[in-house]
Amino acid sequence: PDGQIHFWGDDGAGKRVDALVKLGNEHPHAATKWTTAAQTPRVFVPWLTPQMGWWDASKFALSEKLEKAWEMGELHEDLKRIDAAVAQAAKGVDKTATFERIVSSGAPIRAPSGTDGDKAGVWSEFMLFDGTEWNEPRCAAAQALCKYLRSSPEVAGEVVHGDGTVTPPQGQVTIFKLKPGAHVLPHVGVTNRRLVLQFPLRGWKNVTFRVDEEWRPYNKGKAMVFDDSFEHEVVHNGKADRVVLYAVLHHPGLGTPRLRGGGLKDEV
């Protein structure tokens, strides 16, 4: 199998998923060898352990940096600048500084009727890094976030392996906005070679997040880290737009990331 498996709606779904995983793994041309129905990414590296959905965010140096930046008010200043940039964009001054609608077949979403009043989408993003290049105009607004993320080998570094091959940054850095009443339905990421860090910036109250079988709330001023190759979903029962930082990290099992200038990764 090279896709992702989801069943919803009845008590027998779990047994059918397990049977489908077993059948797929037995196929002579199977692209992956999944070990659990809860973790079915398109690209699966079985030797990356431990295999778990939620990780201890305090073990990652970036978490500490962001939490200190929150305490110092740096991220609040970022939000003010982002709000100002978005307001200017709405007037046609700088159309690059906008939240853009997210359309993803891999992460379906439900929301109440009428929640797309600003035309930006029930789920939208303010992309800072696309995995290759940083968006300089947006980083001018999100100054603190870009400063800490660009200097983090976990995010912006590369892993040089023993055979000389190089694993570049694993993915994007963006700010997600989710409208109240929305439900990001169960889905999985594309690979277990990465982890995801999220940091709540605004509107996190009454928003819950499930990874594998464990639901957690967002906590003010605290990062969370999880393996998005495990099935996960978000339910927004709050009253304000949920705004969170989303940053893709190298999985620690890949090796020690270094910034291209030679900087070493902080211990995790």
Side-chain angles (χ1 to χ4, degrees):
D2 62 358
Q4 302 163 4
I5 297 175
H6 306 289
F7 276 95
W8 301 292
D10 63 75
D11 293 336
K15 292 182 179 179
R16 296 203 307 276
V17 171
D18 289 338
L20 188 56
V21 168
K22 182 176 183 295
L23 179 65
N25 285 343
E26 290 173 349
H27 193 283
H29 300 296
T32 63
K33 292 293 184 181
W34 296 323
T35 58
T36 171
Q39 187 184 29
T40 59
R42 283 193 286 272
V43 178
F44 180 67
V45 183
W47 51 263
L48 282 175
T49 56
Q51 295 174 9
M52 56 186 175
W54 288 107
W55 286 62
D56 182 354
S58 69
K59 301 297 184 181
F60 293 80
L62 178 59
S63 297
E64 182 180 359
K65 292 176 183 178
L66 292 172
E67 289 168 8
K68 286 183 178 179
W70 175 268
E71 292 176 3
M72 297 296 293
E74 292 179 274
L75 303 191
H76 300 278
E77 293 302 314
D78 274 4
L79 286 173
K80 290 179 183 178
R81 285 188 292 266
I82 291 170
D83 287 343
V86 170
Q88 289 292 93
K91 298 176 182 179
V93 176
D94 180 6
K95 294 184 179 180
T96 64
T98 59
F99 277 83
E100 299 170 325
R101 182 189 302 269
I102 296 174
V103 179
S104 173
S105 60
I109 186 168
R110 291 177 183 164
S113 176
T115 53
D116 191 14
D118 61 4
K119 308 301 182 184
V122 172
W123 193 17
S124 57
E125 66 178 331
F126 192 80
M127 182 79 75
L128 301 176
F129 177 60
D130 63 7
T132 302
E133 296 182 353
W134 292 85
N135 186 306
E136 299 301 343
R138 292 180 181 177
C139 279
Q143 293 176 16
L145 287 172
C146 286
K147 176 180 70 174
Y148 292 118
L149 291 157
R150 292 173 92 153
S151 63
S152 171
E154 297 163 336
V155 173
E158 58 188 21
V159 178
V160 180
H161 304 282
D163 61 0
T165 59
V166 176
T167 298
Q170 294 285 338
Q172 67 189 32
V173 173
T174 191
I175 297 173
F176 282 146
K177 181 189 291 185
L178 186 67
K179 295 288 187 180
H183 180 188
V184 182
L185 297 172
H187 61 288
V188 300
V190 297
T191 179
N192 66 326
R193 294 183 311 203
R194 68 186 198 179
L195 300 178
V196 170
L197 177 145
Q198 285 199 10
F199 192 95
L201 299 171
R202 180 183 289 160
W204 59 80
K205 291 184 179 180
N206 296 315
V207 182
T208 52
F209 201 116
R210 178 180 68 84
V211 179
D212 196 2
E213 297 182 352
E214 183 180 350
W215 287 91
R216 293 188 181 183
Y218 289 96
N219 291 309
K220 180 180 179 180
K222 295 294 182 181
M224 58 169 55
V225 175
F226 63 98
D227 183 338
D228 78 334
S229 67
F230 281 83
E231 186 178 81
H232 56 286
E233 64 180 308
V234 180
V235 176
H236 190 344
N237 287 320
K239 296 181 179 180
D241 291 348
R242 182 211 67 168
V243 179
V244 299
L245 170 71
Y246 170 101
V248 178
L249 315 177
H250 285 288
H251 191 293
L254 290 176
T256 302
R258 299 171 183 263
L259 294 174
R260 288 186 174 86
L264 283 171
K265 177 183 183 295
D266 293 291
E267 292 296 324
V268 300

